[in-house]
Amino acid sequence: MKITYPHMGYSYIAFKMLINDLGYEPVVPPEPSKRTIDLGARYAPEFACIPYKVLLGTYLETIEMGAEMAISSGGVGPCRAGYYGVMHQKILNELGYDFKVFILEPPQSNYLDFIKKLKVLKPSVMSWRTFIQLIKKGYSKLEAIDEMEFLMYRFMPYEISKGDTARAFKIALDMLDQAQTEDEIEDARWECRKVMAKVPQDRSRDPLKIGIIGEIYVVLEPAVNFYIQKTLGEMGVYTDRSIWLTSYAQKNVVVEGKVGERDIHEMAHPYLNEMIGGHGINSIGEIVIYAKGGYDGVIQLAPFSCIPEIMAKGIVPRVSREEGIPVMTIFIDEQTAAAGVLTRLEAFLDLLQRRREQKTVKERLA
Amino acid sequence: MPVRVGIPRFLGYFSYYPWWKTFFEELGLEVVTSPPTNQQILNAGVAEAVNDACIPIKLYHGHVMEIKDQVDILFVPRLVKVRKFGTETFCPKFLGLPDLLQASINNLPEMLDTRVDLTRGCFELFRISRELGERFGASLSKITRAYLHACQALQGYRGLMSRGMFADDALECMEKGYKASQQKEQGSLSIAVLGYPYLVYDNFINMDIVKRLKTLGARALTVEMVSPRQLLREAKNMPKQMFWHYSNRAMHAAYYYLNRKRVDGIIHVTAFACGPDAMLDRLMEIESRRLGRMPFLTLSIDEETGTGGVETRLEAFIDMLKRRRVLE
Ligand code: SF4
Ligand code: SF4
């Protein structure tokens, strides 16, 4: 059977391997393009959030490529992502496609259901042990990919000749893509680190530091967020983002070892005292964390009409004022133009630069 | 002078007002309710609230603005869950509402942001009442009495609604102590007007849809006219329940009316850019088509919806239904 899955950053490499290992034929989803988004927007409800539209577009594109089934994650709400699967299925059926959207609900919601569903994916001739090993292997690849991406954004602002880091990252991705066994992945990971570390850097620079927060999908998918981290990196800005697919990179966020959900909620107090679904409360908590971590500013990425992020945006001015950190919100939908985003980014960087200069002047006077 | 508590006449108001009012009055407080939505409230809300918010959230801000200076304490309950039903909660905007108000409106009076999560235990509502009552220094017996009367009032209100009354009629009925006369509304057509209570029952913001339907010769039926038990029975039609309380209720009601063929058409009243409704609306549309090709109309409401537009759309819809009927 030909199986596809949502495109999320560079994770497609790991999922491709996993599906292949399980004995299915992976249909690698194309990176979301104008066409993907247009396709999705045409058939999706007008006010569906952009992740929904991109996913629908991806399914339509992969159907053209022969995919018969998609595996996606569910989410337990209280947000719309948890209902994506049902709605995608209904809309694709209405369009007359015989395509199955298979939703893996996260195990917290219902363990039995999770295992039952996993069983469908497990080929009957395969033992559970092999199955679990394969999943673990997939995860370690995912982790390696996350690590390289993480390193790329760390190094970019210091690179001496523009584009070096991005090139190194590409090489690293290819190496990881080639690695097939557990050992190979581990070796490749070491090699990749070396490749990344070889990029010549000028560590004397003191770049602006920006934290990137917001809704998971638009934060994770560069093709939808206008490659914001790369763009900023090329402009010589150090960025850190709060959300990663694997916990490897997640753990490294801002202050080491202090990013448990509990802490985020504590940080969000007193600005927001309730889980509001999606990444709403995280967004608030993370602004506080970035402010305390000495960052110059924060950029909030939010799908247009995204419920939790709109709530967060409403609360942001207060957080920003009281924590003393500028925050810019970028809403993304199918009409957002790259040029507009770029202008706003430049203006924001100007503002941060000026603030920094004022601060140094003040410090010198004091 | 008794303590004045302010209740904004919006969002949860249409579902729970009799409870709140009775309870606070029994405790000896003065209840100040904001006036029915009007242009000024709308303007104030649009000015104060974060501009990407949906119109109901803006209106709520407007109602708060309207009464915030006339009260000592503002009652803005944080409605989280009112029944154990999967992972259902209220819309995330309800969940963060007190925090949002806090961030966007200056000089708020003290806010009573009681968290309401009735799934925490059987006596949760009483526990909350007790907490509220003690906040105002009432004795346990007084609180108990207030609690019982409040529950009674809510039950009465719901009874009136399930017998076919609209929110404002039902409230007036209770206020003046009328006996509910069985309202047999006339109208050759029946239309299910589905949506969230604050859209269906706020006559300003929905541009008097009920009255308009009436003049066009159609009777409106709402979610609240179906008993909760019957609503729940329709849940099995969905492969997965939604996460939002009001959305589930509206969808269940849609199935109820669809499966029973009690209506000639369905109108979904929705707020422009409402998150949950992006899903709900399409689902209703698909299901209306699937279950007996039921005529379906979406009425989307925003700040600038002109009455003219609504009028023509309703007329066209009703005309179509009438023609359909003749053909049958
Ligand atoms: S968090 Fe935002 S983008 Fe994600 S499902 Fe909810 S509304 Fe959509
Ligand atoms: S359900 Fe829709 S209209 Fe109601 S508060 Fe939520 S987003 Fe706004």
Side-chain angles (χ1 to χ4, degrees), chain B residues 6-20:
Chain B
I7 298 184
R9 191 187 289 261
F10 208 64
L11 295 182
Y13 168 89
F14 299 99
S15 307
Y16 306 111
Y17 180 66
W19 198 101
W20 298 342

Side-chain angles (χ1 to χ4, degrees), chain A residues 143-144 146-151 154 189 193 209 211 229 238-260 264 286 289-290 293 295:
Chain A
E143 217 176 63
D146 261 4
E147 180 179 348
M148 297 317 136
E149 197 187 351
F150 180 81
L151 289 177
R154 288 279 123 136
R189 193 165 172 179
R193 282 188 193 134
K209 284 168 84 180
Q229 278 192 285
Y238 178 100
T239 58
D240 185 281
R241 78 167 191 240
S242 54
I243 306 170
W244 296 81
L245 265 188
T246 65
S247 49
Y248 163 76
Q250 188 88 54
K251 263 187 259 140
N252 283 289
V253 176
V254 211
V255 249
E256 307 261 329
K258 215 183 172 310
V259 280
I264 295 266
E286 282 151 10
I289 294 180
Y290 281 124
Y295 277 68

